[in-house]
Amino acid sequence: MTRRLRTFKKFDFVAGDSDDYHRIDIAMTLHTNSSTEVESDYKNAISIVEVKRYISEQEQAYEQMLEYSRNLFGTQPNRRFAWGLTVCGTMVRACIIVNDKVLSSPAMNVSTSDGRRAFVTLLTDWSMCESKHLGYDPTIRYNDSDQRWEIDVYDSEKRVARTYICESRIYNAYSIFGRRTRCFVAHEKPADLVSASDHNLPKVLIKDSWAHMDSPDSNVARDEVAYLRKIQDTLAKDSTLNGTYPHLEAGGVVKIKCSDGVVDDTTQSILMKIDSIMWAN
């Protein structure tokens, strides 16, 4: 799969779906064959580019690029992590923003052939990699024909995924770090989409958030899914309590399909797949 990258036509602009008045220097998006110009909105951006005239302004460039990335997570419900670029003089750095840290590449000096080669390699990787390596969640995808979001929820008890259709988003992840909680009102995707009506299908609340793990081999700390299962199993013994506690339909750690199998969606699994350039803290 290949994609064509381009910048928005606007530069030094306020995005149409921004919740603040910050001006973005440059934002990268996907080229489309549509005659309609892509709106200069955060929801259409792949990454934010912060540009400074002098190399000495690197720290300020980092700060602004991070601050602007908050709207990427807020407007894109399928955004797992984000890429960003800073350009200070002739020095370009690529950043990966995950929920608990930011990694920055060594400087690519585009006034030299080695620096230009490294930068072009990065852009080529972005053009050819799978969308999950750009930061998108393959378990949350937009269905163009229905014009609605579909969400795969992994059931750790039955070890299967159930697909739901999002009816509305009631909480968005407008944060740079932390759990980046999102909440959706949805219903399970019926086998027969033609005869099914949204009004006749039971509604569910889907909560999507990052959780803390002490180590890659440990269980999730303060596992909400496990707590809900315990509450449900305990209170279900008393029929008079029906309807007084949440009913867990499915839940567990998100699973991502990779070329070498299925892995838990963790920051470790994200960073292990990012090998286009050497990362430095």
Side-chain angles (χ1 to χ4, degrees):
M1 173 184 176
T2 59
R3 60 180 67 86
R4 295 176 63 189
L5 304 178
R6 49 159 292 187
T7 61
F8 288 136
K9 284 192 173 181
K10 292 182 180 180
F11 298 91
D12 186 26
F13 66 98
V14 177
D17 54 355
S18 172
D19 70 345
D20 52 42
Y21 295 99
H22 292 146
R23 302 186 72 85
I24 306 170
D25 288 336
I26 302 172
M28 300 193 68
T29 187
L30 292 178
H31 174 84
T32 66
N33 294 321
S34 172
S35 58
T36 304
E37 178 62 28
V38 175
E39 295 179 342
S40 300
D41 291 341
Y42 278 108
K43 66 182 180 182
N44 297 321
I46 290 178
S47 69
I48 303 300
V49 184
E50 180 61 25
V51 181
K52 297 296 181 185
R53 178 174 295 181
Y54 303 110
I55 297 174
S56 60
E57 297 178 282
Q58 181 62 59
E59 289 301 316
Q60 185 181 357
Y62 278 145
E63 291 175 6
Q64 291 183 244
M65 183 270 297
L66 281 174
E67 189 172 9
Y68 303 159
S69 72
R70 186 182 66 86
N71 273 290
L72 285 182
F73 294 106
T75 58
Q76 299 179 17
N78 61 337
R79 175 65 70 174
R80 297 160 63 221
F81 66 91
W83 287 88
L85 290 173
T86 63
V87 182
C88 297
T90 61
M91 299 296 184
V92 179
R93 285 179 169 87
C95 299
I96 293 180
I97 308 161
V98 292
N99 70 302
D100 60 349
K101 67 183 70 175
V102 179
L103 300 183
S104 174
S105 74
M108 295 171 274
N109 187 347
V110 293
S111 68
T112 68
S113 58
D114 287 345
R116 289 192 294 273
R117 184 182 300 110
F119 184 46
V120 170
T121 298
L122 174 67
L123 296 181
T124 302
D125 286 348
W126 283 2
S127 299
M128 301 182 67
C129 69
E130 295 177 88
S131 62
K132 59 176 173 282
H133 298 319
L134 285 175
Y136 297 110
D137 186 345
T139 69
I140 303 177
R141 58 197 171 273
Y142 191 71
N143 188 322
D144 289 316
S145 59
D146 293 338
Q147 295 187 331
R148 291 195 290 188
W149 290 94
E150 293 185 356
I151 305 171
D152 294 333
V153 178
Y154 181 73
D155 188 338
S156 58
E157 272 199 332
K158 299 180 179 179
R159 297 187 177 183
V160 296
R162 303 168 66 164
T163 301
Y164 293 83
I165 295 177
C166 175
E167 296 184 8
S168 62
R169 289 149 53 188
I170 60 175
Y171 196 82
N172 297 306
Y174 279 98
S175 61
I176 301 173
F177 299 115
R179 301 194 67 185
R180 294 201 193 117
T181 299
R182 298 180 175 99
C183 292
F184 309 85
V185 174
H187 62 262
E188 190 165 11
K189 186 176 183 178
D192 184 2
L193 288 173
V194 177
S195 59
S197 170
D198 289 358
H199 301 291
N200 300 327
L201 298 171
K203 304 294 187 291
V204 299
L205 174 69
I206 298 176
K207 179 182 178 182
D208 176 47
S209 63
W210 290 92
H212 176 70
M213 299 173 68
D214 293 323
S215 69
D217 299 322
S218 66
N219 294 323
V220 174
R222 298 177 295 279
D223 189 341
E224 292 175 287
V225 172
Y227 290 154
L228 285 172
R229 285 203 174 101
K230 185 175 182 179
I231 291 170
Q232 184 173 297
D233 292 343
T234 302
L235 300 185
K237 300 171 185 177
D238 187 347
S239 60
T240 63
L241 296 177
N242 287 345
T244 64
Y245 56 90
H247 174 78
L248 180 67
E249 191 166 284
V253 176
V254 173
K255 304 290 184 181
I256 300 291
K257 292 182 179 179
C258 299
S259 56
D260 51 355
V262 178
V263 300
D264 289 347
D265 190 19
T266 64
T267 52
Q268 183 190 40
S269 64
I270 288 172
L271 298 175
M272 284 177 62
K273 300 296 181 180
I274 305 298
D275 56 3
S276 57
I277 52 179
M278 293 292 292
W279 295 105
N281 288 318

